[in-house]
Amino acid sequence: MEGGIDVAKIRILHVFGALNSGGAESRTMDIYREIDRNIVQFDFLVHTHEKGFFDDEIRALGGNIYRVPRFNLKNLTSYIRGVDDFFRDHKEYRIIHGHILSTAFIYFKIAKKYNIPVRIAHSRSGTRAQLNIVNIIKELTEKLSKLYVTDMLAVSKIAGYSAFGKRDVDSGKVAIMPNAIKADKYTFNKNLRQDTRKELNIENSFVVGHIGRFSPQKNHEFIIDIFNEIKKKNEHSKLILVGEGPLRSSVKSKVLKLGLEKDVLFLGVRSDVPNLLNAMDTLLFPSTHEGLPGVVLEAQASGLPCIISDKITSEVRITDLVEYLSLDKSAGYWADVVLDYSSKIIRKNTYDKIVEAGYDTKAVAKWYESYYSNSIDSSK
């Protein structure tokens, strides 16, 4: 155990791969900051021994962090033993909320063995575009988790279909609770925009941005192709890439090969995302699949035009700032749309629309308070 004092009526054990700055972790932290921690407290079980981006904040908020070995086929036995040891020693939990579904069929089965009555599987990602053996195995193991859960959540219907199947979503067995953001944190601020652009030395540029992990799903190779075309049409263009991940080095190599190294800014993991969204002129988001991407919500809260792929659920479009494009279209086509669409947008405050659509963290945190309490009551 690391940090934390048990003062809440209900302690929820959230299961993640790691506590990095990814979408699922960030959205959970948004709720954690807003939820009444005298009623509900969050603890975390992670599949890594490395310190995470949110570790210090979690301890400051009163949460505990527990660790089991990172899963792979070579350490299957030690992984199962680690999870089994944890649940044997921590029988105080009555709710486990799992966000990493690829190993959920293992840890949910063990949680059931130790009589944890409420076991929630939470799907945040859409159907994977590539039908390779790795993705097929992941989708199979995600669906196996249904054998050991009592509750199923998804951020969108697409995310629900991917993990649990169309029948369970359409029948209402899967509760749809979209991602939420602290909307007022992202409100467009002209002065903040100017200061951030000055800091990044992009004051007189047309700035395209992307925020996300460098992974196949986020389609960074295509982002670079699109930006290369944008640069041909507007020489004063810059591209901001925020995040880390396994494909960063290969993307950087492509940037160097195209001679764009002076125009593409690799900013790594940042804690000032609202500032960066203010600084951008367009969010470019051609993902191959998503559940309900929080960054597109954040961008809309910042009044920022968003050009996104049609593989992303329509549920994320809550303002007129979102334009969908097919991934079958060329990079040149995407570039033309980015330049044309962005030129028509005047930045404005969209806070009321975010709140009205039910995507603000205050309302969603209240929903979770009731959801967890009702789950406990119904399990008795």
Side-chain angles (χ1 to χ4, degrees):
M1 183 178 77
E2 300 177 10
I5 299 173
D6 191 356
V7 296
K9 295 179 181 177
I10 305 170
R11 295 196 82 94
I12 314 299
L13 183 70
H14 289 271
V15 184
F16 281 102
L19 291 170
N20 295 322
S21 59
E25 298 96 319
S26 296
R27 300 287 75 80
T28 301
M29 290 301 296
D30 285 340
I31 299 301
Y32 188 21
R33 297 181 191 108
E34 198 68 47
I35 208 163
D36 186 342
R37 292 186 296 279
N38 291 314
I39 299 175
V40 177
Q41 179 57 265
F42 288 1
D43 292 334
F44 296 83
L45 178 66
V46 295
H47 293 53
T48 179
H49 290 285
E50 297 176 5
K51 182 178 179 180
F53 183 79
F54 292 113
D55 284 18
D56 292 341
E57 183 180 3
I58 287 169
R59 296 191 193 98
L61 294 173
N64 300 316
I65 302 171
Y66 307 94
R67 304 181 186 280
V68 293
R70 187 185 299 276
F71 172 82
N72 59 55
L73 292 178
K74 293 181 180 179
N75 76 336
L76 177 61
T77 301
S78 60
Y79 173 74
I80 292 174
R81 185 185 303 116
V83 175
D84 193 277
D85 288 347
F86 172 81
F87 284 113
R88 184 194 63 224
D89 295 339
H90 294 276
K91 297 178 181 177
E92 69 270 23
Y93 290 104
R94 300 192 64 197
I95 297 180
I96 175 174
H97 190 151
H99 303 268
I100 176 172
L101 298 189
S102 57
T103 59
F105 72 103
I106 297 175
Y107 65 75
F108 277 133
K109 181 179 181 180
I110 295 172
K112 182 178 180 181
K113 168 186 170 183
Y114 286 103
N115 300 312
I116 293 180
V118 181
R119 303 176 298 279
I120 305 165
H122 199 152
S123 177
R124 296 178 177 274
S125 183
T127 302
R128 298 170 180 86
Q130 295 180 318
L131 289 178
N132 54 44
I133 187 63
V134 173
N135 286 339
I136 290 172
I137 291 173
K138 282 184 176 180
E139 291 199 7
L140 175 62
T141 56
E142 286 177 1
K143 287 183 170 62
L144 283 174
S145 68
K146 291 200 305 180
L147 298 173
Y148 307 107
V149 303
T150 58
D151 297 69
M152 294 176 284
L153 289 179
V155 297
S156 64
K157 285 189 174 182
I158 287 178
Y161 293 157
S162 174
F164 309 122
K166 193 172 187 300
R167 179 182 298 176
D168 283 342
V169 174
D170 292 345
S171 69
K173 289 183 179 179
V174 179
I176 305 298
M177 175 44 61
N179 285 326
I181 60 171
K182 192 169 176 56
D184 56 359
K185 177 180 174 182
Y186 298 92
T187 301
F188 179 65
N189 183 306
K190 187 176 181 180
N191 292 330
L192 185 59
R193 171 182 169 84
Q194 292 173 344
D195 291 344
T196 306
R197 287 168 73 93
K198 183 176 181 179
E199 175 192 333
L200 295 173
N201 196 28
I202 53 174
E203 294 170 270
N204 301 312
S205 304
F206 173 71
V207 182
V208 180
H210 180 272
I211 300 173
R213 179 171 167 78
F214 283 79
S215 63
Q217 168 191 356
K218 300 301 183 182
N219 212 1
H220 281 84
E221 295 275 345
F222 191 45
I223 290 172
I224 302 304
D225 288 335
I226 296 168
F227 179 70
N228 190 39
E229 296 298 323
I230 291 173
K231 184 69 179 176
K232 293 175 184 177
K233 302 168 190 294
N234 182 344
E235 62 177 341
H236 301 295
S237 299
K238 300 288 184 184
L239 174 64
I240 290 175
L241 298 177
V242 182
E244 294 288 352
L247 297 184
R248 185 182 180 196
S249 60
S250 63
V251 173
K252 205 163 191 176
S253 295
K254 180 167 186 170
V255 168
L256 290 170
K257 184 178 180 181
L258 293 172
L260 297 172
E261 62 271 17
K262 293 182 180 179
D263 303 305
V264 180
L265 285 69
F266 290 82
L267 300 185
V269 174
R270 301 276 295 222
S271 60
D272 59 345
V273 169
N275 300 17
L276 298 174
L277 289 171
N278 269 277
M280 295 175 191
D281 295 300
T282 298
L283 179 77
L284 182 58
F285 213 76
S287 295
T288 60
H289 63 280
E290 293 280 352
L292 194 148
V295 68
V296 180
L297 299 178
E298 294 167 352
Q300 290 176 84
S302 185
L304 184 67
C306 307
I307 310 300
I308 72 176
S309 84
D310 61 359
K311 301 297 182 181
I312 300 172
T313 176
S314 60
E315 294 159 273
V316 79
R317 189 181 191 273
I318 54 178
T319 70
D320 58 3
L321 294 167
V322 176
E323 183 78 3
Y324 288 89
L325 292 182
S326 170
L327 291 177
D328 294 330
K329 297 291 186 180
S330 68
Y333 182 90
W334 274 70
D336 286 338
V337 173
V338 166
L339 291 165
D340 179 62
Y341 192 72
S342 303
S343 68
K344 300 174 182 177
I345 301 297
I346 299 174
R347 300 287 282 269
K348 58 186 178 182
N349 188 330
T350 60
Y351 176 78
D352 289 342
K353 287 188 176 181
I354 304 292
V355 173
E356 288 171 10
Y359 288 91
D360 189 61
T361 51
K362 290 182 180 179
V364 175
K366 288 295 181 186
W367 183 89
Y368 273 108
E369 287 175 18
S370 297
Y371 175 74
Y372 290 135
S373 298
N374 292 336
S375 296
I376 288 288
D377 290 341
S378 62
S379 70
K380 293 177 180 178

